[in-house]
């Protein structure tokens, strides 16, 4: 009994303290130079253009530095979480509960010798890790962090995200080629095949929230979820986006390419020291960015009670939601076995792509039906929860029907395979080993 | 606002460089790369004219989008042919593919 | 916004021109074809920058997605798969000087005889009200706009995809 109370107190007290601190900080920062930096500079007598330039540069530096700093925390979260799932403790020597461990990692990687393999193309070899990290950082430019603070509100935010994600594949090929190592090159080919295959269901799944919101801009998508999260209107699209984004970053169960036994054939085998650290940090940052994107596109971003009055609270909501999705992807990583490369390709082209096309067609059809049938909420009541329910129910039922149909197909196919196997014929799923002595 | 003739001059320069690449390189892949440069120059022209002459009518951007499609299809098929030729003859120098020459 | 006489837009235009034309020169004048593919990608980035300057953000994003993310990678793969055993090949064939003269003449004719006389005086756009991406979407599927070329383009892409797979497949 007192253990329960003790645990409850351990959870509740930090939350209460945290909320109070956030509200105090918010009231301090809302009326000062921190919110209107440019105005502050101009009042101080600086030239208007120069003040504008400095304000924009400061914004750019802040938006670009935030994910890099968060990555340091993510390394610790990842290792502790993985350790607890595997029934061990995780890093606990360096600093209280191991919090300083990432810094120790960074110091170790900085101290390593920075070699370039003989015969490698020096310029490309050094530029590939930079391109990899760049392709992740550029996504943060369009991320709406609070109702009033975001890098830029592009009219084509979602398309920008997909375009920037395809730069990462270029970085992988350059890394594999410039290492002057044919196993690295082969590994890079396989990684690129996986990455470009999973871009297709990613893009098709992202079209569904664009249709529901009527705009490709990230800020527009967050604003359109005022009434109802898109997670409830389009659960299949959320599932598709989650799975495809896990495969895009090379995260388990799709991490064939960085598995310990495959490292001889990995594209980053010739990298050591800080350059390897950039690939490593880029991958962590990419997983967190995917979590934030899941939160922004499907679960309402910074929405929550009192979000508009207290921007810091809105930011906290965003971080909580993206932390949930991030921990979900960590759970997937630590609990599921790895898939083979041919299973990966089959899964994508024979399951995800037809499902995403069918989902898109069905959602378009149902949305038009809802709008013609008058069930859609009118623009005045778009942010009312009750008014959004009819449209959400129709779309949700459509998704459920599609999922049931797909499950029936899979179940029938599975039954056929099982019957064929019982009758003694080999199936596609088993791999007959090559006869020895070939 | 940057005047129209500057965009057109840049596009013309890109086109001329692409034409030089097509006419003077020996490697088939390099020739295809120069063809892509020329297609990009055409796209710049289309979009510049759209922006400066008819910004309300979407024909310019639609035309540029179709040029994207055609360029992608052509690059895919051209590179497939080059790889097939390479498999047969182990060389992608265009001078070596001359079986049908008189 | 101005910074003396150099507006931000002119600065951006100059930067993108250097990227585009410099990348193009790198494509036609390199010895190492992989470097040439990288220069092609640089040049395509410059063209995407032009599209942004010309208020066509959708085309800029599609340029990065299709050209750099797909065609650029395709070219890189093709270069890596068709390395010749000897790198002693000359870059240029025997008519390279005729080609140089022709392309310079082409550029000169285009600029001096077509661009400057006809469009030299136009300083600003006809109007600054620009149609948005939503209008492009409507134009591509609307019955009295470009739905037929849109469908034919999708057929073309399907045929090209099947054709490329069939041509490049290993004979079994």
């Amino acid at each position: 009994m007192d253990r329960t109370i003790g645990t409850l107190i351990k959870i509740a007290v930090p939350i209460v303290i945290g909320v109070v601190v956030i509200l105090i900080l918010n009231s301090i920062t809302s009326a000062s130079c921190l919110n209107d930096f440019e105005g502050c500079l101009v009042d101080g007598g600086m030239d208007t253009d120069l003040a504008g330039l400095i304000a924009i540069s400061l914004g750019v530096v802040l938006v670009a530095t935030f994910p890099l700093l968060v990555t340091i925390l993510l390394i610790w979260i990842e290792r502790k979480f993985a350790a607890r799932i595997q029934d061990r403790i995780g890093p606990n020597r360096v600093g209280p509960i191991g919090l300083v461990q990432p810094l120790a990692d960074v110091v170790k990687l900085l101290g390593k010798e920075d070699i370039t393999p003989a015969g490698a193309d020096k310029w490309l070899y050094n530029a590939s890790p930079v391109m990899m990290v760049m392709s992740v950082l550029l996504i943060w430019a369009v991320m709406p962090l609070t109702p009033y603070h975001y890098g830029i509100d592009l009219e084509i935010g979602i398309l920008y995200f997909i375009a920037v994600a395809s730069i990462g594949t270029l970085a992988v090929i350059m890394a594999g080629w410039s290492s002057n190592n044919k196993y690295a090159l082969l590994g890079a080919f396989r990684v690129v095949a996986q990455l470009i295959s999973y871009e297709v269901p990613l893009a098709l799944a992202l079209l569904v929230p664009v249709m529901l919101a009527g705009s490709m801009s990230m800020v527009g998508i967050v604003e359109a979820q005022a009434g109802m999260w898109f997670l409830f209107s389009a659960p299949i699209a959320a599932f598709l986006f989650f799975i495809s984004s896990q495969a895009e970053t090379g995260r388990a169960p799709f991490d064939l390419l960085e598995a310990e036994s495959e490292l001889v054939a990995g594209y980053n085998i010739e990298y050591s020291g800080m350059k390897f650290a950039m690939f490593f940090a880029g991958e962590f940052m990419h997983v967190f960015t995917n979590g934030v994107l899941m939160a922004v596109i499907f679960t309402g971003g910074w929405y929550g009670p009192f979000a508009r009055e207290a921007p810091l609270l809105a930011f906290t909501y965003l971080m909580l939601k993206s932390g949930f999705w991030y921990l979900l992807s960590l759970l997937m990583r630590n609990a599921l076995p790895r898939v083979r490369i041919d299973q990966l390709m089959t899964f994508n082209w024979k399951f995800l792509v037809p499902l995403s096309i069918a989902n898109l067609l069905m959602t378009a059809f149902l949305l038009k039906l809802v709008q013609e049938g008058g069930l859609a909420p009118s623009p005045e009541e778009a942010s009312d929860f009750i008014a959004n329910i009819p449209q959400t129910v129709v779309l949700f039922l459509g998704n459920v029907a599609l999922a049931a149909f797909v499950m029936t197909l899979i179940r029938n196919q599975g039954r056929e395979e099982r019957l064929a196997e019982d009758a003694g014929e080999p199936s596609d799923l088993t791999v007959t080993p090559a006869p020895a002595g070939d | 606002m940057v005047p129209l003739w500057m965009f057109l001059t840049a596009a013309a320069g890109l086109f001329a460089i692409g034409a030089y690449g097509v006419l003077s390189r020996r490697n088939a892949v390099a020739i295809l790369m120069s063809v892509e440069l020329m297609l990009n120059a055409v796209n710049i022209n289309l979009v510049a004219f759209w922006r400066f002459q008819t910004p309300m009518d979407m024909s310019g951007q639609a035309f540029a989008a179709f040029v994207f499609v055609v360029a992608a299809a052509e690059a895919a098929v051209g590179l497939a042919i080059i790889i097939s030729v390479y498999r047969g003859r182990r060389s992608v120098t265009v001078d070596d593919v001359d079986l049908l020459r008189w | 916004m101005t910074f003396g006489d150099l507006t931000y837009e002119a600065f951006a235009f100059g930067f993108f021109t250097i990227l585009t034309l410099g990348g193009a020169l790198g494509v036609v004048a390199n010895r190492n074809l992989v470097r040439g593919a990288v220069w092609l990608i640089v040049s395509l980035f410059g063209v995407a920058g032009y599209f942004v300057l010309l208020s066509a953000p959708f085309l800029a994003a599609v340029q990065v997605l299709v050209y750099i993310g797909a065609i650029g990678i395709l070219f890189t793969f093709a270069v890596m798969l068709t390395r010749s055993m000897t790198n002693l090949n000359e870059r240029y064939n025997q008519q390279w000087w005729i080609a140089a003269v022709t392309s310079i003449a082409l550029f000169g004719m285009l600029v001096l005889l077509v661009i400057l006389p006809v469009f030299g005086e136009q300083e600003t756009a006809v109007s600054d009200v620009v149609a948005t991406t939503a209008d492009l979407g409507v134009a591509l599927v609307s019955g009295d706009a470009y739905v037929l070329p849109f469908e034919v383009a999708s057929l073309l892409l399907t045929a090209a995809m099947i054709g490329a797979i069939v041509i490049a497949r290993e004979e079994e």
Side-chain angles (χ1 to χ4, degrees), chain B residues 1 3-4 9 24 32 34 39 43 47-48 53-54 75 80 82 89:
Chain B
M1 180 111 207
L4 175 62
T9 312
S24 73
L32 266 183
S34 313
L39 284 166
N43 258 344
V47 178
Q53 313 279 47
T54 58
I82 290 179
R89 317 193 103 230

Side-chain angles (χ1 to χ4, degrees), chain A residues 187-198:
Chain A
F189 280 170
R190 287 201 307 193
V191 175
V192 169
Q194 174 183 330
L195 291 181
I196 58 179
S197 305
Y198 278 88

Side-chain angles (χ1 to χ4, degrees), chain A residues 261-306:
Chain A
S261 58
E262 307 274 342
L263 270 182
V264 174
Y267 64 91
N268 49 9
I269 175 162
E270 293 279 354
Y271 285 90
S272 68
M274 210 52 207
K275 296 186 203 126
F276 178 73
M278 287 183 89
F279 275 119
F280 190 63
E283 179 185 323
F284 277 115
M285 222 186 321
H286 201 169
V287 184
F288 182 64
T289 310
N290 279 330
V292 177
L293 277 170
M294 255 325 260
V296 163
I297 299 177
F298 287 104
T299 49
W302 42 257
Y303 261 112
F306 306 114

Side-chain angles (χ1 to χ4, degrees), chain A residues 49 121 155-156 169 177 189, chain C residues 2 34-35 57 73 77 80 133:
Chain A
D49 287 332
D121 196 342
E155 187 189 8
I156 44 149
T169 60
W177 169 263
F189 280 170
Chain C
T2 63
V34 179
R35 287 281 181 92
I73 294 186
F77 267 119
M80 289 175 195
T133 310

Side-chain angles (χ1 to χ4, degrees), chain B residues 53-77:
Chain B
Q53 313 279 47
T54 58
M56 281 311 287
D57 178 20
M58 265 300 176
S59 311
Q61 280 204 23
F63 202 152
F66 293 132
V67 172
F68 277 136
V69 167
V70 171
E74 167 231 340
V77 175

Side-chain angles (χ1 to χ4, degrees), chain A residues 57-261:
Chain A
S57 311
L58 190 65
V60 165
V61 166
L62 282 176
V63 166
T65 315
F66 172 68
L68 293 171
L69 290 178
V70 167
T71 306
I72 297 182
L73 186 62
L74 289 178
I75 300 178
W76 176 81
I77 293 182
E78 164 116 21
R79 291 172 69 158
K80 271 296 203 188
F81 198 75
R84 292 291 171 163
I85 290 185
Q86 294 164 6
D87 200 21
R88 51 188 176 90
I89 301 184
N92 62 347
R93 297 265 169 218
V94 194
I97 56 174
L99 273 174
V100 188
Q101 176 73 38
L103 277 156
D105 281 338
V106 167
V107 168
K108 172 193 87 164
L109 285 167
L110 274 176
K112 287 205 171 181
E113 184 185 355
D114 199 21
I115 55 178
T116 310
D121 196 342
K122 280 198 186 25
W123 207 90
L124 284 179
Y125 181 79
N126 289 322
S128 306
V130 172
M131 260 171 39
M132 185 79 172
V133 173
M134 178 182 92
S135 84
V136 177
L137 270 187
L138 281 178
I139 302 178
W140 283 85
V142 288
M143 209 75 91
L145 297 170
T146 72
Y148 317 105
H149 300 92
Y150 38 82
I152 185 169
D153 179 21
L154 279 182
E155 187 189 8
I156 44 149
I158 296 275
L159 194 58
Y160 170 84
F161 156 63
I162 301 177
V164 161
S166 67
I167 297 183
T169 60
L170 210 60
V172 168
I173 275 225
M174 292 304 163
W177 169 263
S178 59
S179 303
N180 198 26
N181 180 343
K182 63 173 167 289
Y183 297 108
L185 188 61
L186 286 176
F189 280 170
R190 287 201 307 193
V191 175
V192 169
Q194 174 183 330
L195 291 181
I196 58 179
S197 305
Y198 278 88
E199 269 177 27
V200 177
L202 186 81
L204 286 174
L206 278 179
L207 281 181
V208 171
V210 167
M211 264 199 303
L212 289 175
S215 150
M216 277 200 274
S217 114
M218 293 279 199
V219 174
I221 287 184
V222 173
E223 299 277 347
Q225 292 182 67
M228 175 73 72
W229 288 353
F230 287 157
L231 183 63
F232 302 121
S233 308
I236 292 189
F239 164 74
L240 282 171
F241 176 72
F242 187 64
I243 302 274
S244 309
S245 60
Q246 292 310 305
E248 276 284 313
T249 51
R251 217 42 185 180
F254 305 105
D255 66 348
L256 183 71
L257 315 146
E258 58 175 34
E260 284 72 31
S261 58

Side-chain angles (χ1 to χ4, degrees), chain C residues 37-97:
Chain C
V38 174
W39 283 122
L40 179 69
I41 288 169
V42 168
S43 180
L44 295 173
F45 259 123
V47 177
Y50 275 155
F51 287 151
V52 171
L53 277 180
L54 288 170
S55 317
F58 180 76
L59 285 183
V62 170
Q63 165 93 358
V64 174
L65 181 60
V66 168
Y67 264 107
I68 298 178
I71 296 184
I73 294 186
L74 195 59
F75 271 110
T76 314
F77 267 119
V79 162
M80 289 175 195
L81 289 176
T82 59
R83 305 283 287 169
S84 54
M85 290 300 117
T86 63
N87 269 340
L88 305 175
N89 287 340
E90 299 281 332
R91 276 175 290 165
Y92 301 124
N93 57 23
Q94 292 186 336
Q95 299 100 323
W96 67 272
W97 55 274

